[in-house]
Amino acid sequence: MSAILDAKIPEGPLEKKWTIHKESLKTVSPANRKKMHIIVVGTGLAGASAAAALGEQGYRVNVFCMSDSPRRAHSVSAQGGINAAKNYRNDNDSVRRLFLDTLQGGDYRSREANVYRLAQVSNAIIDHCVALGVPFARDYAGYLDNRSFGGAQVSRTFYARGQTGQQLLLAVYSSLNRQVAAGNVTVHSREQMMDLVTENGQARGIMTRDMVTGRINAYPAHAVVLATGGYGNVYYLSTNAKHSNGSALVQCWKKGAFFANPSFVQIHPTCIPVHGEYQSKLTLMSESLRNEGRIWVPTRKEDVLALREGKIKPSDIPEERRDYYLERRYPSYGNLVPRDVASRAARERCDAGFGVGKTGRAVFLDLSGAIAKDGKACIESKYGNLFQIYEKITGDDPWKEPMQIYPAIHYTMGGLWVDYNLMTTVKGLYAIGEANFSDHGANRLGASALMQGLADGLFILPYTISDYLAGKIGEPCPDTATPPFVQVRGDVQKRIDRIMALKGNVPVDVFHRELGNMMWEHAGIAKSAEGLSSLISRLGALEERFRNEAGITGSQATVNQELEKAIHLEDYFTLAGLMVQDALHREESCGSHFRIESQTKDGETLRDDDRFQYVAAWEYKGQAEAPLLYREPLVYEETRMTERKYI
Amino acid sequence: MFFILKVWRQAGPRSRGHFQLFDMDGISGDTSFLEMLDILNNRLVSQGKETIAFDHDCREGICGACGLYINGRPHGPDDGITTCQLYMRRFRDGSVITVEPWRSAAFPVIKDLMVERKAFDKILQAGGFISANTGSAPEAHTTLIARKVAEESMDASACIGCGACVATCKNRSAMLFVASRVSSLALLPQGKPEAARRARAMVAKMDELGFGSCTNIGSCQMECPKNITITHIARLNREFLYRPG
Ligand SMILES: Cc1cc2nc3c(=O)[nH]c(=O)nc-3n(C[C@H](O)[C@H](O)[C@H](O)COP(=O)(O)OP(=O)(O)OC[C@H]3O[C@@H](n4cnc5c(N)ncnc54)[C@H](O)[C@@H]3O)c2cc1C
Ligand code: FES
């Protein structure tokens, strides 16, 4: 088994591994690069940066996205910032400290060598983004500004107002555009990957559906890169964009790419609470607000009641009747504990009956102290757009009364298993960005997803993929008239026909919402063997109802958003089953994976390193059989594992 | 709440479109505009009818995908927001709401409320970038940039490429869109070397793609969900297009 799950971690001391490895990687000559075809699926930070970097090298790149323009990929919505170990604040930050914070933040369920490399390349990302014209926030002297994020005691987060993701994406999308103009990259927008084409265990290309004409198209390549983001939308309500989905991951899983740690899902503590039945998504209030904001609930139940009845306002509650529960429980990190810790603490207070808001499932995020201290103008310049978003959604003025927040599904640490080269278990198929499982273990630190996406796309994949392609020189690009392509084309057509034949009258959204509720209830902030087991039969029953009762209207030969939703929902059912199985098997708590059977007496996560210090990678065994578990043991050569403490 | 929706339906780029009326009852004021369309679409599915196609993704005002012409204004009656940030509490109970796609020759209708905005990508491909290869950047602090300049660059760079500026302009000009990118990059030292070439190439591409020219009316800045102002157009004109030599 270990032969299959060889992570290919290079020998040598931790700080030297990447350098040594890079030197050993083969390269491809400029003349040959022109003959090598690469497919990149996804144009978020990971995909767009990879496609641009590969284009710059002279490869022939086809890049795909579902939106009308690459610039709209979900990365655009990242608000808070991007980490790097620049130590511009002289607060004793370093590559090693960023590495250790990330490893500890992930509760020692990520790979030491990968995380170290991530920290190592972080600084070059900032340099490159500045060169591309990202208007990062600066101080009066013109130096780059930093803010703090959860899980760190140093200030290492770079930001561009509350629009960091948008600014970074605009930058790499511009680089992509430059390569389009240079003729190296072709963009296929509104074109959805429908399947991976493989031959003899190697990726040969992809099959797509043109989302405007419904046409099924085949694209061949020497290597395929998946950068399709995360699958948080399994839960229906999440902070992810509506079109974020897990379909490409499921397709690749079914074609032999192992899926790692599927149940590691991050729940973000600071989102606008759920308010209505028809709500279509949850909106994040950036974690950066926890820099200056303080989180609290009333200490007295009568205040909770009076608030709910509208008799008093939050600001009427005096200081001594407020429970700043994060500061109380975690004095050294306070409001800046990692996300999983903050989420569980919010749930704990609400379960105990101290939750505020109409539903009792909300806590206050209070910036009044910061506004009083620094002035409205200063806070507005940092967080103005977040205040605006909040006001528009809730109809309440956050400048007057504190915001109400509650945890929501946000990010998936799980994803396709990749080795140190970011290659999946299918040869020539790579996964980067949120789509892979690699660097965040059981919990991702804030501002580290953007860092990882760009690290993968700019500075890691371009080197490792060349090593693979060097072995393909002289091989022609696969022919799409050959049996592997013909077969997959037929499969995709059959699948679409099958979905179009659903002739009930219940909209797809209804089933998706139900799936989401179930998963949130039993596979969300807290999980138990009993709850998880109950999901198995309920998932089956729901899927059955979907097949019998769902209705798809319209035709497959034009834009059909119901068809698109149904494709994703089918895949969410598959993913949900896999997530439940993984969560059930991992009888420990770590990071955001909280099994109630495994907690300390203070209600904190309790790891079981003896039994579970490994990456769980699942192999697809067909519709009728349960997936098979492979383990990649996690070996910490240079790090002393500790209990994860934020007290 | 109750509304009468008058929605533009068009089967495809070459089909003739028409308005269709829908009664929308039982809508809570806390429903967003797009959620109201979701509800309508779900009702249509239940009746076995084809749903209304519209673009959307982030639903928090940052991806620029959504863009509807509501009661004669891009993104509806409020200033400084996108369609997905519009909530039904903003409308009078019982009112008629007209919903149309962007209308511009450069943005052909794909279906119903969905338009093709590839022209924006093409304008940016013509020069809306800084030509820095991956790996070639100097240390980030090599060049200091005054806070005021960085902030101004950020103001311009807030453009989300939704197309509201084009949809509202009587000339169907994309000048605010072009100016936002040109201005944002030209303000920064690292964007200066290519500034003039960038501006000229992007404006030429804009003209070629069938957008109109700017006659300084300023409706674009009224409708921009990110409050980008025409000062950036002035900078584009002054610095790069009409400077002799
Ligand atoms: C609201 C919010 C705020 C966040 N803020 C931060 C932050 O401040 N800092 C931080 O570090 N991280 C943040 N994150 C996390 C971070 O934004 C994401 O993890 C990251 O952007 C993912 O990037 P990506 O390139 O992997 O994928 P994405 O940006 O999700 O891109 C996926 C791409 O794949 C395409 N795609 C998907 N499926 C298919 C298919 N079948 N066929 C064709 N194309 C397909 C999509 O069209 C898209 O182009 C935030 C996340 C959210 C939800
Ligand atoms: S859906 Fe993204 S801006 Fe409206």
Side-chain angles (χ1 to χ4, degrees):
Chain A
M1 274 199 271
S2 60
I4 298 179
L5 271 186
D6 178 6
K8 303 210 175 73
I9 296 170
E11 296 295 322
L14 199 51
E15 318 77 80
K16 298 264 172 62
K17 282 186 195 291
W18 178 228
T19 316
I20 295 172
H21 186 61
K22 272 193 293 186
E23 285 164 3
S24 76
L25 293 174
K26 292 190 279 294
T27 52
V28 178
S29 75
N32 281 326
R33 288 179 212 159
K34 289 194 187 66
K35 299 176 207 146
M36 309 303 290
H37 295 257
I38 303 173
I39 283 172
V40 178
V41 190
T43 59
L45 284 185
S49 65
L54 293 167
E56 285 163 16
Q57 291 189 12
Y59 288 112
R60 291 288 166 264
V61 184
N62 277 298
V63 55
F64 297 81
C65 66
M66 287 165 51
S67 45
D68 65 335
S69 164
R71 69 181 295 159
R72 306 198 203 285
H74 167 58
S75 292
V76 80
S77 31
Q79 303 168 346
I82 175 165
N83 287 333
K86 286 280 195 187
N87 192 31
Y88 283 162
R89 285 296 180 90
N90 196 32
D91 51 5
N92 197 8
D93 197 9
S94 61
V95 166
R96 185 162 283 269
R97 196 175 292 276
L98 173 54
F99 152 72
L100 287 171
D101 283 348
T102 311
L103 210 62
Q104 177 178 344
D107 216 357
Y108 303 96
R109 290 293 173 264
S110 46
R111 234 183 246 153
E112 195 183 42
N114 280 56
V115 178
Y116 197 89
R117 173 177 65 184
L118 175 64
Q120 268 176 319
V121 302
S122 67
N123 291 341
I125 294 171
I126 302 302
D127 298 340
H128 184 55
C129 291
V130 167
L132 292 180
V134 173
F136 282 121
R138 292 182 181 256
D139 64 16
Y140 287 105
Y143 293 92
L144 290 160
D145 194 15
N146 291 122
R147 51 167 63 144
S148 308
F149 257 61
Q153 290 179 326
V154 295
S155 245
R156 62 160 76 97
T157 306
F158 295 78
Y159 65 101
R161 256 176 232 165
Q163 302 160 27
T164 316
Q166 187 218 356
Q167 292 308 311
L168 294 174
L169 188 60
L170 188 55
V172 293
Y173 154 76
S174 299
S175 293
L176 184 72
N177 282 336
R178 181 170 153 245
Q179 292 311 310
V180 172
N184 297 329
V185 174
T186 309
V187 174
H188 305 264
S189 48
R190 293 196 198 268
E191 197 154 347
Q192 178 181 4
M193 172 172 171
M194 289 296 295
D195 212 342
L196 178 74
V197 181
T198 58
E199 192 180 13
N200 306 326
Q202 287 186 37
R204 294 290 195 204
I206 64 169
M207 203 62 66
T208 67
R209 175 175 183 272
D210 181 319
M211 296 163 75
V212 174
T213 63
R215 212 173 290 130
I216 295 172
N217 297 321
Y219 294 91
H222 292 97
V224 175
V225 181
L226 215 66
T228 53
Y231 50 93
N233 277 344
V234 167
Y235 295 80
Y236 189 69
L237 285 182
S238 84
T239 61
N240 290 9
K242 289 298 282 178
H243 295 316
S244 292
N245 69 92
S247 289
L249 299 183
V250 172
Q251 292 149 19
C252 293
W253 185 51
K254 291 187 171 172
K255 287 291 162 74
F258 290 7
F259 206 116
N261 301 335
S263 66
F264 286 178
V265 175
Q266 177 164 79
I267 291 160
H268 198 293
T270 55
C271 303
I272 300 179
V274 178
H275 58 259
E277 191 200 337
Y278 276 101
Q279 197 163 348
S280 56
K281 76 158 284 175
L282 294 170
T283 302
L284 176 75
M285 289 287 101
S286 168
E287 174 162 321
S288 57
L289 289 167
R290 287 202 270 147
N291 264 297
E292 264 125 337
R294 299 176 71 193
I295 294 177
W296 63 278
V297 292
T299 53
R300 298 188 184 178
K301 293 235 165 109
E302 57 267 31
D303 285 343
V304 172
L305 217 64
L307 279 170
R308 207 164 299 162
E309 288 165 358
K311 288 187 189 143
I312 56 169
K313 295 196 295 292
S315 53
D316 296 334
I317 300 177
E319 231 12 63
E320 65 279 6
R321 295 208 319 246
R322 297 177 177 195
D323 177 11
Y324 295 96
Y325 58 86
L326 289 177
E327 297 168 35
R328 167 170 61 78
R329 288 178 64 178
Y330 310 100
S332 64
Y333 280 76
N335 293 296
L336 286 174
V337 290
R339 292 173 173 174
D340 55 320
V341 179
S343 293
R344 276 192 296 278
R347 180 183 153 120
E348 187 276 330
R349 281 295 80 195
C350 293
D351 284 350
F354 293 95
V356 298
K358 280 187 209 142
T359 58
R361 303 225 68 90
V363 300
F364 292 126
L365 172 63
D366 198 338
L367 278 98
S368 56
I371 297 170
K373 180 171 151 273
D374 299 337
K376 186 174 167 182
C378 169
I379 298 300
E380 187 154 27
S381 78
K382 287 189 194 164
Y383 310 112
N385 73 319
L386 299 176
F387 277 65
Q388 186 212 24
I389 290 174
Y390 185 87
E391 181 172 1
K392 285 291 168 199
I393 293 177
T394 61
D396 298 330
D397 182 357
W399 293 104
K400 294 206 178 105
E401 294 293 336
M403 297 182 186
Q404 290 181 18
I405 52 158
Y406 198 66
I409 296 292
H410 181 57
Y411 179 88
T412 48
M413 280 76 67
L416 293 189
W417 184 88
V418 289
D419 63 17
Y420 190 72
N421 292 322
L422 306 180
M423 201 200 281
T424 68
T425 46
V426 173
K427 284 203 193 66
L429 175 68
Y430 292 78
I432 59 175
E434 194 173 338
N436 72 24
F437 88 104
S438 66
D439 299 345
H440 307 293
N443 174 57
R444 173 176 72 78
L445 291 185
S448 285
L450 302 183
M451 168 172 75
Q452 181 227 330
L454 288 175
D456 289 358
L458 292 173
F459 297 118
I460 301 171
L461 180 89
Y463 296 151
T464 58
I465 204 170
S466 295
D467 183 62
Y468 175 77
L469 292 171
K472 302 244 144 213
I473 290 167
E475 246 183 57
C477 199
D479 179 355
T480 57
T482 53
F485 282 90
V486 174
Q487 168 77 33
V488 173
R489 180 187 285 278
D491 294 346
V492 168
Q493 185 58 57
K494 264 188 242 146
R495 179 175 182 200
I496 292 173
D497 292 342
R498 182 167 46 72
I499 295 176
M500 289 307 299
L502 294 174
K503 280 291 168 265
N505 61 0
V506 183
V508 177
D509 283 344
V510 171
F511 301 99
H512 191 180
R513 207 176 288 124
E514 225 170 289
L515 169 68
N517 284 339
M518 266 182 213
M519 290 293 284
W520 174 245
E521 198 53 42
H522 296 294
I525 300 186
K527 311 167 192 171
S528 69
E530 197 192 338
L532 289 166
S533 309
S534 79
L535 278 177
I536 298 176
S537 58
R538 289 174 65 200
L539 285 173
L542 183 63
E543 187 168 356
E544 180 77 24
R545 268 183 45 218
F546 162 72
R547 303 226 175 272
N548 294 329
E549 297 168 20
I552 308 290
T553 56
S555 115
Q556 59 171 290
T558 76
V559 174
N560 190 333
Q561 294 173 315
E562 293 302 310
L563 169 63
E564 290 162 24
K565 286 188 214 168
I567 293 170
H568 296 323
L569 183 61
E570 279 195 343
D571 295 327
Y572 289 142
F573 279 123
T574 308
L575 269 170
L578 181 63
M579 290 160 79
V580 169
Q581 172 151 25
D582 184 53
L584 259 176
H585 116 279
R586 194 173 278 277
E587 294 168 336
E588 66 159 351
S589 296
C590 53
S592 58
H593 173 68
F594 191 69
R595 286 285 303 264
I596 60 167
E597 301 91 343
S598 180
Q599 53 180 308
T600 65
K601 59 180 187 322
D602 304 324
E604 305 292 346
T605 49
L606 185 63
R607 279 194 332 247
D608 184 346
D609 293 336
D610 292 340
R611 290 174 63 211
F612 294 104
Q613 194 176 313
Y614 60 77
V615 175
W618 301 88
E619 184 189 11
Y620 181 72
K621 285 297 202 187
Q623 205 81 332
E625 247 181 88
L628 190 63
L629 172 67
Y630 289 79
R631 297 180 175 86
E632 179 204 331
L634 289 166
V635 184
Y636 296 102
E637 291 174 14
E638 296 201 19
T639 324
R640 204 167 45 83
M641 289 171 66
T642 53
E643 192 188 333
R644 188 161 163 263
K645 277 209 173 104
Y646 291 97
I647 302 174
Chain B
M1 299 177 88
F2 171 78
F3 304 100
I4 296 170
L5 282 192
K6 207 175 141 194
V7 182
W8 184 258
R9 301 302 301 264
Q10 185 172 335
R14 272 174 225 94
S15 326
R16 275 176 69 109
H18 64 279
F19 280 107
Q20 196 176 356
L21 291 176
F22 299 97
D23 283 351
M24 292 302 292
D25 50 4
I27 300 295
S28 137
D30 284 339
T31 312
S32 76
F33 198 87
L34 297 186
E35 284 164 1
M36 193 250 326
L37 289 181
D38 292 340
I39 295 174
L40 172 55
N41 275 341
N42 278 348
R43 290 179 186 171
L44 288 173
V45 171
S46 304
Q47 297 160 8
K49 294 184 183 142
E50 190 164 1
T51 54
I52 300 163
F54 65 96
D55 266 322
H56 66 97
D57 201 7
C58 73
R59 297 210 174 184
E60 51 190 60
I62 194 71
C63 74
C66 67
L68 299 177
Y69 208 69
I70 301 166
N71 287 343
R73 285 188 67 181
H75 299 303
D78 282 353
D79 291 339
I81 58 163
T82 53
T83 303
C84 58
Q85 294 177 296
L86 181 61
Y87 280 75
M88 296 317 291
R89 63 177 93 89
R90 184 60 184 74
F91 294 90
R92 215 168 15 83
D93 198 8
S95 56
V96 179
I97 304 173
T98 309
V99 195
E100 297 168 76
W102 286 173
R103 301 210 185 266
S104 154
F107 294 159
V109 173
I110 293 176
K111 188 178 178 185
D112 298 336
L113 303 173
M114 202 180 245
V115 298
E116 181 63 86
R117 284 170 291 198
K118 281 209 175 92
F120 270 6
D121 289 332
K122 290 190 183 138
I123 293 177
L124 291 178
Q125 284 157 13
F129 44 74
I130 292 176
S131 305
N133 278 337
T134 312
S136 58
E139 209 298 317
H141 271 168
T142 313
T143 313
L144 302 183
I145 303 170
R147 180 188 184 132
K148 195 172 151 286
V149 175
E151 291 290 314
E152 218 179 326
S153 170
M154 178 63 228
D155 287 341
S157 198
C159 170
I160 55 175
C162 66
C165 48
V166 177
T168 193
C169 174
K170 78 173 174 56
N171 305 319
R172 300 290 183 259
S173 171
M175 203 59 164
L176 192 64
F177 171 78
V178 171
S180 74
R181 193 73 188 131
V182 167
S183 184
S184 165
L185 295 181
L187 278 159
L188 302 170
Q190 58 276 42
K192 288 220 159 60
E194 296 170 283
R197 196 185 55 158
R198 175 183 308 120
R200 292 196 180 111
M202 287 174 69
V203 170
K205 187 52 102 180
M206 173 183 85
D207 293 343
E208 180 196 317
L209 292 169
F211 291 97
S213 30
C214 173
T215 52
N216 278 317
I217 295 165
S219 57
C220 50
Q221 73 175 359
M222 302 290 294
E223 299 298 358
C224 174
K226 297 293 150 186
N227 299 317
I228 297 172
T229 62
I230 54 173
T231 347
H232 298 291
I233 299 185
R235 174 175 297 113
L236 167 67
N237 289 338
R238 190 176 62 235
E239 296 276 333
F240 307 109
L241 296 183
Y242 305 127
R243 184 185 279 176

